[in-house]
Amino acid sequence: MPSAQLLTVHLGPEAAFEGQLLGALQRLESGGTLRILDVLFVQNDHETGELVAANLRGDGTGRIVSPLVSFRLDPSERRRITEEALAGRAGGVSGDTVRTIGEALAPGASVAAVLIDHRWLQPMEDAATRAGGTLSASRFLDVDDLDTLVPELLAAAGQTST
C-alpha cells in the first residue's frame, strides 16, 4: 500500500514568510512516524519577477530544515539553491517543471509541495501480515463523518453495502 502523501500549499502575494512552514516541517519529522521525502518551493518574486525555488530531497533525519532556513534568510544561499532547482534534480522535479510552475504563478505568489512518507504504515502492514491478514484500506477522512467508513468496513468483512 502506498505510504507517501503529497501536501501542496498555495500562498498568495500577501503571504507572510516568518518561519511557520519551516517549523511545521520540523515538527512533522520530530516524532519519527513521518519522514519528509521531498520539498519543492517555487515563488514568482513580486519585486523582480524572477523565480525563487528550492527542490530538496529529505533523508528523514530532519536535516531538510537547515538548507530551507538558509534559503529563507540568506540571499546568496537562496540564489544558489534556486540555480540548483532550475537545473533540476535527479529523481526530483525537473528544472523545466519548476519554471512552468513559476510562470503560472501570479506576481508574488508561491507554491510549496511536501512529499511525506508515513513510516508508521510499514509496522502496521507487517503486523497484519504476521497475524495472517492484509491491510485493506488506508485513507484520510473527516472524523465528523465516520459513517462514510461503512462501505469499506463491509467490504473488508466480505459483504457489500445495501
Side-chain angles (χ1 to χ4, degrees):
M1 189 168 293
S3 64
Q5 177 185 16
L6 178 65
L7 301 174
T8 58
V9 177
H10 180 267
L11 302 144
E14 70 287 343
F17 293 98
E18 298 171 347
Q20 298 92 332
L21 294 175
L22 291 175
L25 291 176
Q26 195 169 30
R27 287 187 301 277
L28 280 174
E29 283 192 319
S30 67
T33 60
L34 299 175
R35 180 173 61 128
I36 298 171
L37 300 174
D38 286 289
V39 171
L40 176 67
F41 175 83
V42 182
Q43 181 181 42
N44 181 334
D45 188 273
H46 188 47
E47 294 176 13
T48 66
E50 294 180 18
L51 292 184
V52 177
N55 183 6
L56 303 170
R57 175 167 297 280
D59 63 4
T61 62
R63 287 188 254 173
I64 200 161
V65 172
S66 179
L68 288 170
V69 168
S70 296
F71 175 83
R72 178 177 169 256
L73 299 176
D74 183 343
S76 64
E77 274 299 287
R78 187 169 31 258
R79 281 189 296 277
R80 186 187 68 73
I81 292 172
T82 295
E83 287 173 9
E84 288 178 1
L86 293 175
R89 177 172 58 77
V93 177
S94 74
D96 289 338
T97 300
V98 172
R99 283 184 193 83
T100 300
I101 292 168
E103 291 166 1
L105 291 168
S110 309
V111 65
V114 182
L115 186 61
I116 300 170
D117 179 25
H118 291 264
R119 297 180 73 145
W120 56 266
L121 188 57
Q122 188 62 50
M124 290 298 294
E125 286 181 334
D126 292 347
T129 300
R130 285 192 309 274
T134 58
L135 192 58
S136 59
S138 174
R139 68 181 177 102
F140 290 95
L141 57 110
D142 182 348
V143 296
D144 293 329
D145 190 14
L146 295 178
D147 288 338
T148 61
L149 286 177
V150 172
E152 285 182 39
L153 294 171
L154 291 173
Q159 298 181 16
T160 58
S161 60
T162 56

